């Protein structure tokens, strides 16, 4: 039963991050990264490319959660390690990659 709960929880988290990625790809205005911070359209050079980059960012982070969920069906301990290591480290990597995306597409 615990494996099913772990699997379901990871799949829900992965689906949320994947949903954010799909939403970013379909937006017409720049996708924000930080909660509550809107990015003015005039500060981004290529909005569609910027949003695609943001979509890939969130989509790749969702993969961590999907992999953790499937690992949880096999070995819950492995899933826990994946969630802690890749989830926490992935959050830091998200910020670093976002800064690169922002630097690439910001009006200079």
């Amino acid at each position: 039963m615990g494996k099913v709960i772990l699997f379901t929880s990871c799949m829900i988290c992965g689906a949320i991050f994947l949903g954010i990625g799909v939403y970013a790809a379909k937006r017409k205005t720049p996708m924000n990264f930080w909660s509550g911070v809107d990015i003015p359209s005039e500060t981004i050079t290529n909005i569609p490319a910027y949003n695609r980059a943001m979509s890939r960012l969130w989509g790749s982070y969702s993969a961590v959660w999907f992999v953790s969920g499937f690992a949880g069906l096999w070995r819950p301990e492995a899933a826990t390690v994946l969630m802690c290591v890749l989830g926490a480290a992935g959050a830091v990597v998200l910020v670093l990659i976002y800064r690169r995306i922002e630097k690439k597409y910001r009006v200079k």
Side-chain angles (χ1 to χ4, degrees):
M1 182 68 177
K3 290 180 180 182
V4 173
I5 293 171
L6 178 63
F7 174 77
T8 304
S9 300
C10 287
M11 291 297 124
I12 290 170
C13 287
I16 289 170
F17 289 120
L18 186 61
I20 292 170
V22 170
Y23 176 71
K26 296 190 180 290
R27 267 181 80 126
K28 302 295 181 206
T29 59
M31 178 68 181
N32 56 333
F33 181 78
W34 304 105
S35 177
V37 176
D38 289 328
I39 300 171
S41 296
E42 48 282 344
T43 63
I44 301 297
T45 57
N46 186 346
I47 294 172
Y50 172 83
N51 284 344
R52 278 193 305 274
M54 292 297 290
S55 177
R56 285 191 303 271
L57 174 72
W58 288 111
S60 61
Y61 189 61
S62 72
V64 170
W65 295 97
F66 289 129
V67 169
S68 296
F70 285 112
L73 290 174
W74 171 59
R75 291 197 49 183
E77 302 84 16
T80 304
V81 170
L82 283 172
M83 284 186 297
C84 291
V85 173
L86 295 179
V92 172
V93 171
L94 278 177
V95 173
L96 296 175
I97 293 173
Y98 171 71
R99 287 187 178 179
R100 286 182 43 200
I101 292 169
E102 183 182 36
K103 185 177 180 182
K104 180 177 180 179
Y105 292 106
R106 279 277 180 183
V107 173
K108 294 174 176 83

